[in-house]
Amino acid sequence: MVVHRSVPKTLGLVLGALTLLGASVFMLVDGIPRLPAVGALLRVALGAVGVLFFGFGAYRTGQQLLHRGPVVEIGPDGVRDVRLSTQVIPWTAVLRVREVKVQRQRFVALDLDEEFEREFLSGGTAMLQRINQGAGFSGVHLSATGLRCNADDLYAAVLRYWS
């Protein structure tokens, strides 16, 4: 299974992130003159967190628009998701496959051999992975967000090759 990016879906994600970034900037700028009031302090803190979070999201998602070629490849050799790493996850490193739901978002979770997982993840991806694990979401997660497929397609393809 070879999956490419859906440009309209990805543009929608970028637009959403930019909208929330704008709201965060407004909170930050509007709250600064009102400091040291407690409400203003909360507004500035939330605005700053929002600027960092949504700014990073808009940047990463916008960056993905520039990527050409397949985003996810699932085949006899393993799984490759260029949003996570250029490296292929071989089936021999996959210990368990499961479907995970976070609110209305569905993911395919791959529980990997610990040694392979340490080598596989690097940079910002490793940092986000540690945050996910701290929140109770173990494994590497494949998402259909912004792709020309849905979570059911990804899950079926992974199970077909992993089994």
Side-chain angles (χ1 to χ4, degrees), residues 47-161:
V49 169
V51 165
L52 293 173
F53 183 77
F54 297 117
F56 178 73
Y59 170 76
R60 289 286 293 174
T61 308
Q63 209 178 29
Q64 291 173 11
L65 277 172
L66 303 176
H67 175 80
R68 298 290 174 239
V71 176
V72 176
E73 297 176 77
I74 303 169
D77 295 332
V79 179
R80 179 174 169 256
D81 185 337
V82 298
R83 299 171 297 183
L84 301 173
S85 172
T86 56
Q87 189 177 353
V88 173
I89 301 171
W91 295 120
T92 55
V94 179
L95 304 176
R96 186 170 75 151
V97 175
R98 51 198 168 84
E99 191 174 29
V100 175
K101 292 183 184 180
V102 180
Q103 294 183 359
R104 294 182 314 196
Q105 180 92 19
R106 292 173 38 224
F107 301 90
V108 178
L110 306 175
D111 292 332
L112 303 178
D113 173 74
E114 280 185 41
E115 187 176 323
F116 177 81
E117 189 170 345
R118 273 193 303 276
E119 294 171 15
F120 176 72
L121 298 170
S122 63
T125 304
M127 178 189 67
L128 292 174
Q129 183 67 18
R130 282 193 299 277
I131 292 169
N132 281 341
Q133 287 175 344
F137 300 108
S138 63
V140 171
H141 295 79
L142 305 177
S143 169
T145 302
L147 301 180
R148 293 183 191 164
C149 72
N150 60 41
D152 290 332
D153 297 335
L154 288 177
Y155 191 58
V158 166
L159 288 179
R160 182 170 50 250
Y161 287 104

Side-chain angles (χ1 to χ4, degrees), residues 3-12 65 71 144-149:
V3 184
H4 290 83
R5 176 160 324 287
S6 168
V7 174
K9 287 181 184 178
T10 305
L11 283 173
L65 277 172
V71 176
T145 302
L147 301 180
R148 293 183 191 164
C149 72

